[in-house]
Amino acid sequence: MNLIYLDEVHSTNQYLHELLLREKCEEGTCVQTRFQTAGRGQQGNSWESEAGKNLTFSLVLYPEFLSAAEQFILSQMVSLGIKEALDHYMEGVSVKWPNDIYWHEKKIAGILIENSLMGSHIEHTVIGIGLNVNQEKFISNAPNPISMKQISNKEFNLEALLNEVLQSIFTQYLKLIQDEADDIRFRYLNSLYRRDGFHKYADANGEFMARIENVSKTGRLCLITDSGEQREYYFKEVSFV
Ligand code: BTN
């Protein structure tokens, strides 16, 4: 695997996009940095990460066998890869739909996947991951960050952890290539935050109680309300209260 280490960069996702404009990188090429000056989160947010304390990296894959309509499986396999790597270190890790990694009620890692399409197929995908490892204080207005050190009181070796997370993601990717998408979907569903029981949600019409029934192949969250009504949502159409 090709690993590019940068002391400082604007954003590893952005760096990889720019590199891909100039050359075709080997599949699995990973760009890691000690510090991002303009780390990007989902929905145009920024990503806070203290220099040298956490894992901030991006990797490129060429899942040309996937149609654009199937792209949500990439979120599922990356989320699972991170969750299963973290399971070796702690209990209580889950995937908050669609692709946040949670430890109990707090966010421990974020994923920013940017797909480049060629016709109706995916040409390449840049998968950016921010995993909170040794940071002890968060100062941005991100709602509920937590790090592995805050959970365990231990300091982690970033290089070893990066290798484990990457291996775990590549294991899932291999399953995808080997046509095991259904298994990935099944394990993703069972890894979800609030997988069991009724919980409070809110949509444009207000708050309601519901349980998770499924996540569709296109990534829609299917809920069943406490009155038995089925409701389906794309990202941002519903929130966890
Ligand atoms: C989120 O908002 O939850 C997604 C956060 C993704 C952050 C990572 S850090 C490495 C990569 N480079 C970026 O600029 N963002 C992603």
Side-chain angles (χ1 to χ4, degrees), residues 68-150:
E70 294 170 317
Q71 56 189 292
F72 188 67
I73 193 74
L74 294 172
S75 285
Q76 293 179 300
M77 69 108 187
V78 174
S79 308
L80 263 186
I82 301 171
K83 186 224 178 282
E84 291 184 3
L86 294 183
D87 284 344
H88 293 131
Y89 293 93
M90 63 193 77
E91 290 194 349
V93 179
S94 64
V95 180
K96 187 175 177 198
W97 175 85
N99 61 4
D100 282 339
I101 309 300
Y102 262 53
W103 177 78
H104 296 282
E105 296 296 319
K106 290 175 178 266
K107 181 161 165 174
I108 190 166
I111 302 170
L112 180 64
I113 298 184
E114 295 175 309
N115 294 326
S116 143
L117 305 179
M118 198 171 48
S120 61
H121 277 254
I122 298 175
E123 197 258 306
H124 68 247
T125 178
V126 170
I127 298 166
I129 295 167
L131 170 59
N132 298 330
V133 185
N134 292 322
Q135 186 161 340
E136 290 180 86
K137 249 194 202 146
F138 292 87
I139 51 174
S140 76
N141 55 1
N144 51 0
I146 197 160
S147 71
M148 293 173 70
K149 182 161 186 184
Q150 286 176 317

Side-chain angles (χ1 to χ4, degrees), residues 42-218:
Q42 294 161 11
Q43 309 290 308
N45 292 324
S46 59
W47 182 253
E48 176 191 351
S49 182
E50 195 181 330
K53 296 282 184 181
N54 302 311
L55 286 179
T56 42
F57 63 98
S58 303
L59 62 143
V60 62
L61 298 176
Y62 300 99
E64 288 154 354
F65 53 91
L66 286 180
S67 70
E70 294 170 317
Q71 56 189 292
F72 188 67
I73 193 74
L74 294 172
S75 285
Q76 293 179 300
M77 69 108 187
V78 174
S79 308
L80 263 186
I82 301 171
K83 186 224 178 282
E84 291 184 3
L86 294 183
D87 284 344
H88 293 131
Y89 293 93
M90 63 193 77
E91 290 194 349
V93 179
S94 64
V95 180
K96 187 175 177 198
W97 175 85
N99 61 4
D100 282 339
I101 309 300
Y102 262 53
W103 177 78
H104 296 282
E105 296 296 319
K106 290 175 178 266
K107 181 161 165 174
I108 190 166
I111 302 170
L112 180 64
I113 298 184
E114 295 175 309
N115 294 326
S116 143
L117 305 179
M118 198 171 48
S120 61
H121 277 254
I122 298 175
E123 197 258 306
H124 68 247
T125 178
V126 170
I127 298 166
I129 295 167
L131 170 59
N132 298 330
V133 185
N134 292 322
Q135 186 161 340
E136 290 180 86
K137 249 194 202 146
F138 292 87
I139 51 174
S140 76
N141 55 1
N144 51 0
I146 197 160
S147 71
M148 293 173 70
K149 182 161 186 184
Q150 286 176 317
I151 294 165
S152 64
N153 266 321
K154 279 193 285 193
E155 188 90 8
F156 293 85
N157 178 303
L158 293 180
E159 202 186 324
L161 191 59
L162 174 63
N163 269 316
E164 277 187 55
V165 174
L166 285 174
Q167 283 317 318
S168 184
I169 293 171
F170 292 145
T171 301
Q172 305 307 322
Y173 188 50
L174 210 63
K175 285 181 190 286
L176 191 58
I177 292 171
Q178 289 166 346
D179 216 14
E180 292 180 40
D182 283 344
D183 177 59
I184 293 173
R185 286 189 197 100
F186 177 78
R187 284 182 299 121
Y188 171 88
L189 188 63
N190 289 322
S191 298
L192 283 179
Y193 168 82
R194 294 193 178 172
R195 171 68 187 104
D196 297 316
F198 284 87
H199 299 272
K200 205 185 264 184
Y201 294 86
D203 66 11
N205 299 316
E207 293 185 354
F208 59 97
M209 295 296 289
R211 67 172 173 82
I212 294 176
E213 166 76 354
N214 202 359
V215 174
S216 76
K217 285 187 180 178
T218 54

